[in-house]
């Protein structure tokens, strides 16, 4: 039995990211490339639509604290939703917030160049999990720990 190229595997958030994820910046529309000619002609920017689900694509840059290679620790996650997903956690540093994703899928891909190729994944999600109360989740614990940490004077 062969698995078709581009197959998306459903994966549990805690299995994919044992130390959680930190979102850097905000969620933004994933727009199609617009050439200089398109811009000068005043053509509107078009947002990408997922070929499988038919939903709009949004993207956010995340950092994986469990990744040991610093060059591979930060990447974009694609959100598939009709409206822009909104994070449910608060910022722990300006522009940085711990997050958990729901509806997470992973699609294997080859990354790198020349003889330095490696196995990588394209991660897609449908949105953010609700913020856990009492620090029940890994990213919730990170958020609560940062809020309760003593502040330097």
């Amino acid at each position: 039995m062969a698995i078709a190229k581009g197959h998306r595997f459903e994966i549990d958030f805690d299995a994919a990211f044992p130390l959680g994820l930190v979102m850097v910046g905000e969620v933004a529309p994933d727009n199609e490339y617009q050439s200089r000619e398109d811009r000068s002609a005043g053509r509107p920017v078009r947002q990408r639509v997922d070929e499988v689900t038919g939903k709009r694509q949004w993207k956010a840059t995340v950092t994986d604290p469990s990744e040991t290679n610093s060059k591979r620790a930060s990447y974009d996650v694609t959100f598939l939703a009709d409206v822009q997903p909104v994070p449910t956690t608060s910022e722990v540093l300006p522009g940085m917030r711990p997050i958990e994703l729901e509806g997470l899928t992973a699609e294997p891909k080859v990354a790198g160049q020349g003889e330095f190729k490696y196995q990588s994944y394209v991660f897609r999600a449908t949105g953010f999990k609700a913020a856990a109360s009492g620090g029940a989740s890994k990213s919730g614990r990170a958020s609560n720990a940062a809020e309760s940490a003593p502040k330097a004077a």
Side-chain angles (χ1 to χ4, degrees):
M1 176 175 162
I3 298 173
K5 180 180 178 183
H7 181 74
R8 300 173 184 178
F9 295 91
E10 290 183 22
I11 186 166
D12 184 51
F13 178 81
D14 291 330
F17 308 106
L19 296 179
L21 279 179
V22 176
M23 186 171 87
V24 181
E26 299 296 326
V27 177
D30 187 9
N31 294 327
E32 293 179 357
Y33 173 76
Q34 190 177 29
S35 69
R36 189 177 306 156
E37 292 82 21
D38 290 340
R39 283 191 296 268
S40 65
R43 293 191 183 103
V45 177
R46 295 187 333 168
Q47 188 172 0
R48 293 181 199 266
V49 175
D50 183 54
E51 300 155 355
V52 175
T53 63
K55 300 214 181 252
R56 292 179 182 209
Q57 290 186 183
W58 307 84
K59 63 182 176 181
T61 302
V62 298
T63 297
D64 183 0
S66 63
E67 177 60 58
T68 57
N69 186 331
S70 62
K71 292 181 182 179
R72 298 181 195 169
S74 292
Y75 47 88
D76 286 341
V77 170
T78 302
F79 291 92
L80 306 176
D82 291 326
V83 295
Q84 182 174 350
V86 178
T88 59
T89 56
S90 58
E91 292 182 340
V92 292
L93 290 172
M96 301 181 78
R97 66 180 76 222
I99 58 168
E100 282 193 55
L101 304 174
E102 66 181 7
L104 185 64
T105 62
E107 179 184 335
K109 72 171 190 172
V110 176
Q113 296 177 349
E115 61 187 70
F116 302 104
K117 292 184 180 173
Y118 59 94
Q119 174 73 52
S120 183
Y121 297 92
V122 174
F123 288 104
R124 293 180 181 88
T126 57
F128 296 97
K129 285 186 182 176
S133 60
S137 69
K138 289 184 172 104
S139 63
R141 279 195 298 269
S143 175
N144 291 340
E147 290 171 2
S148 64
K151 299 198 188 290

